[in-house]
C-alpha cells in the first residue's frame, strides 16, 4: 500500500490522511492538490498502481482559505493482491 502511494506521489498533491481497513481491503486517501487537474492526475497514478484496484475520486472541494487556492479531495480504492500485468 505504501509503495503504491510513494509511486503516485507528486509535488502537486499533499496527502493529509491514509485510512486503510484491513478487514475490507479498502483504503481512503485524503489530501490537497494545487488544482483540480493535479487531483485527477493523482487518481490516474493510483489506478496504475499494481496493488490498488478501483481507485476513484469520492469527493473534492475547492478551498480558498489559504494564500493559494487548493482542492481538498478524498479517494477510495481496494488494496491487497497485486493486479496481473496486461500485455498487449
Amino acid at each position: 500500500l505504501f509503495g503504491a502511494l510513494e509511486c503516485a506521489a507528486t509535488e502537486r498533491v499533499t496527502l493529509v490522511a491514509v485510512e486503510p481497513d484491513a478487514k475490507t481491503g479498502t483504503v481512503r486517501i485524503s489530501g490537497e492538490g494545487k488544482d483540480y487537474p493535479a487531483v485527477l492526475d493523482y487518481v490516474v497514478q493510483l489506478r496504475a498502481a499494481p496493488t490498488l484496484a478501483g481507485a476513484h475520486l469520492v469527493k473534492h472541494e475547492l478551498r480558498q482559505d489559504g494564500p493559494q487556492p487548493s482542492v481538498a479531495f478524498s479517494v477510495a480504492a481496494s488494496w491487497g493482491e497485486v493486479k496481473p500485468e496486461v500485455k498487449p
Side-chain angles (χ1 to χ4, degrees):
L1 174 60
F2 291 112
L5 296 176
E6 287 179 9
C7 287
T10 173
E11 294 178 4
R12 297 170 50 209
V13 169
T14 302
L15 295 186
V16 176
V18 177
E19 303 170 52
D21 184 338
K23 287 183 180 180
T24 63
T26 59
V27 61
R28 182 170 290 248
I29 303 159
S30 302
E32 286 196 23
K34 291 192 177 198
D35 51 32
Y36 190 62
V39 172
L40 293 180
D41 288 343
Y42 185 68
V43 175
V44 168
Q45 292 298 319
L46 289 174
R47 285 183 178 184
T51 55
L52 294 178
H56 61 281
L57 189 61
V58 176
K59 68 177 183 175
H60 68 282
E61 174 185 353
L62 181 61
R63 296 234 172 122
Q64 297 184 359
D65 53 352
Q68 296 286 334
S70 64
V71 177
F73 68 90
S74 182
V75 174
S78 297
W79 63 281
E81 293 185 29
V82 175
K83 293 186 281 191
E85 187 176 322
V86 177
K87 296 185 180 184

